[in-house]
Amino acid sequence: MPSNTGPSIDAITEGGRVTQVGEGQDAEETSPAVATVGAPTVGELLAERYELVEHINNDSAGRLVWRGVDVVLRRPVAVILRYPGGDSATEMLQAAVAASRVIHPNLVGVYDAIDEDDRAYVVREWVDGQSLREMVAADGALDPARATAIGNAVASALAAVHATGMVHGNVHPGTVMISDDGRVVLADARTDGADSQENDLRAVGGVLYFALTGHWPHREAPLHGATAGHGRAALPDAVRDAAGAIAAPRQMRAGVPAYLDDLTMDLLDREIAPPSSDVLSAELSRLDIPADEQFLEQAGPLRFTAEPGEEPSPLAAAGGRRVALGIAGLLAVALVGLLIGVNALGGSSGDEKEPVAQPTNSAPAPGGSEPPAQVRKLSIVDVRIIDPDGDRAEVRDAEKVIDDDDDAGWETNTYRTNAKFGGIKRGMGIWIDLGAPHSVKQLEATLSATGATVELRTGTRGDFPSSSAGDKQLVNAYSTKIGQPNENGGTKMIFDGFEAEQKYQYILFWITKLPAKDSEKWKLAVQEITVQGS
């Protein structure tokens, strides 16, 4: 990401939009009165180097934030002054010294820290832009791609801080700055005895939640329980149920990918140990995909809450089926070539014979009566996942339900709040193509757990959709139900309500209720589906 050069020395802040966050605090709408001795004035030169140009604001602790210029290097700077200095400014100065040792594109650079007894001040990089809090307040919640990019930048900055053994201790929407050139930087580290790297990581979840919803999920002001005077107290609280549990981002707005929703909620869940900052940074970096490449997100995340082997390799998910189909295609071409060659060799001799009719199941038996059709396992030539109310992030691995392996299958994401996909979706389905119309005797499904509710539907639409809108059209078209729904069924579901006189080619295995994974989470895996008929 390009380095921010800031405004020119003569730049003027437009309408007060640019807010520079003070050390360890967030700027408030109404700044407190500040009693100072020898208050700074425009044009004053600090440490014979830093000229004060414009008073920007006061933070919630009464620190003064000024725009200035380093007259030696001729670059804009932010100057944060505290009155008095001495012992009361020790924490601010120590945090600044520690932060100056970590150089990273997503961290605000700290240039100087000076104590003059009657006042102390920190000089740092000027960021010409706005905080995440201001951006969301002005424009509303961000789109998932932008939220992911910001979360990636914050996690990357924390990984650099944590690698030194230090803690940031002040991650929230007011200290996440977005410059006008798009650079995202984390500002104003602070440390006290209650800070921890885990709290920093929980705060990344808070930043993601805020970016996606415009609400702050932590009821207390700072994560480490400091006074509510900090800027986080002014953020809108998350929507909560009667027990105080927050609503997931996908419950508050449409279009949030399931994997991003899960990752955010897992980071906020105190009962789930977060990953290390470098692991989180790597995962968000993988998910931070340019808008024109969003189709790659179907690979899904490597969630840190997954059991070993629970999530497939993204490479396998994205390319495994295509590789398998490619090999099958080559084999088919080779077989056709072989048959043509054999045919040509057989026809080259002059001793040609009339073809002999071979008996088939469809040939009339002696006496003119039709033989009974032989029931067998039917071939499923195509299988796809239908996700009409989602973002198609769960459509991978459909082929695993027909691979004759009960230990591997397709699975939904984990949903919270209730068994009906968390109130987010009316259902999800598996679309099956038998290749041609068949008489069907039964369909058998092997599931990961008991308690799911499933119904079978059929229709005539064979052009499989490639979007959620197309999925909705398909579900609406497949309105004919086959038999009765299997409600709260077991791990083996058998459907035998097929009409004897009807032929079926397309079947929709439609899931409307998920089994409980635990008391507050619901998830289903479909391990195998087989169809019997003739």
Side-chain angles (χ1 to χ4, degrees), residues 99-140:
S100 70
R101 297 171 181 161
V102 185
I103 308 300
H104 190 275
N106 299 120
L107 284 171
V108 166
V110 177
Y111 303 144
D112 216 339
I114 299 172
D115 184 5
E116 296 180 350
D117 290 332
D118 60 329
R119 68 183 178 186
Y121 47 91
V122 171
V123 181
R124 63 161 171 80
E125 175 186 3
W126 172 269
V127 180
D128 191 10
Q130 58 187 327
S131 70
L132 176 61
R133 188 181 78 167
E134 292 171 314
M135 176 180 285
V136 171
D139 303 325

Side-chain angles (χ1 to χ4, degrees), residues 148 208 257-264 266 279-280 282-289 296-307 309-315 317 391-397 411-414 523:
T148 301
L208 285 170
Y259 62 79
L260 187 57
D261 185 272
D262 283 335
L263 182 61
T264 301
D266 286 345
V279 170
L280 178 61
E283 177 61 4
L284 284 169
S285 178
R286 190 179 72 82
L287 298 175
D288 183 8
I289 301 171
L296 294 176
E297 292 182 0
Q298 292 186 10
L302 302 177
R303 292 184 58 203
F304 58 88
T305 55
E307 296 295 329
E310 180 178 332
E311 289 288 350
S313 162
L315 290 177
D391 53 13
R392 301 183 62 77
E394 297 165 82
V395 299
R396 62 189 184 278
D397 296 336
E411 61 183 13
T412 70
N413 286 325
T414 301
K523 184 175 186 175

Side-chain angles (χ1 to χ4, degrees), residues 272-455:
I272 298 176
S276 61
S277 53
D278 56 341
V279 170
L280 178 61
S281 173
E283 177 61 4
L284 284 169
S285 178
R286 190 179 72 82
L287 298 175
D288 183 8
I289 301 171
D292 58 350
E293 298 179 19
Q294 287 301 308
F295 65 91
L296 294 176
E297 292 182 0
Q298 292 186 10
L302 302 177
R303 292 184 58 203
F304 58 88
T305 55
E307 296 295 329
E310 180 178 332
E311 289 288 350
S313 162
L315 290 177
R321 185 166 185 262
R322 288 196 295 272
V323 171
L325 290 175
I327 293 172
L330 290 174
L331 290 175
V333 170
L335 181 59
V336 169
L338 179 61
L339 291 174
I340 292 174
V342 171
N343 223 7
L345 289 173
S348 62
S349 69
D351 187 16
E352 298 204 13
K353 298 180 180 179
E354 290 295 324
V356 177
Q358 299 296 320
T360 66
N361 287 335
S362 59
S369 62
E370 289 285 337
Q374 185 178 8
V375 175
R376 58 185 173 85
K377 179 181 176 181
L378 299 177
S379 295
I380 298 176
V381 301
D382 198 7
V383 59
R384 309 289 183 92
I385 305 303
I386 298 289
D387 188 12
D389 301 318
D391 53 13
R392 301 183 62 77
E394 297 165 82
V395 299
R396 62 189 184 278
D397 296 336
E399 67 277 6
K400 290 187 176 182
V401 305
I402 56 171
D403 61 358
D404 295 321
D405 182 1
D406 286 351
D407 295 327
W410 166 79
E411 61 183 13
T412 70
N413 286 325
T414 301
Y415 290 83
R416 294 174 171 83
T417 306
N418 62 59
K420 295 183 177 181
F421 294 87
I424 300 169
K425 303 179 181 181
R426 50 180 162 161
M428 290 187 70
I430 300 173
W431 177 83
I432 297 165
D433 180 4
L434 298 176
H438 289 273
S439 295
V440 178
K441 180 69 174 179
Q442 69 176 31
L443 180 147
E444 179 179 307
T446 303
L447 309 181
S448 61
T450 62
T453 295
V454 178
E455 62 186 40

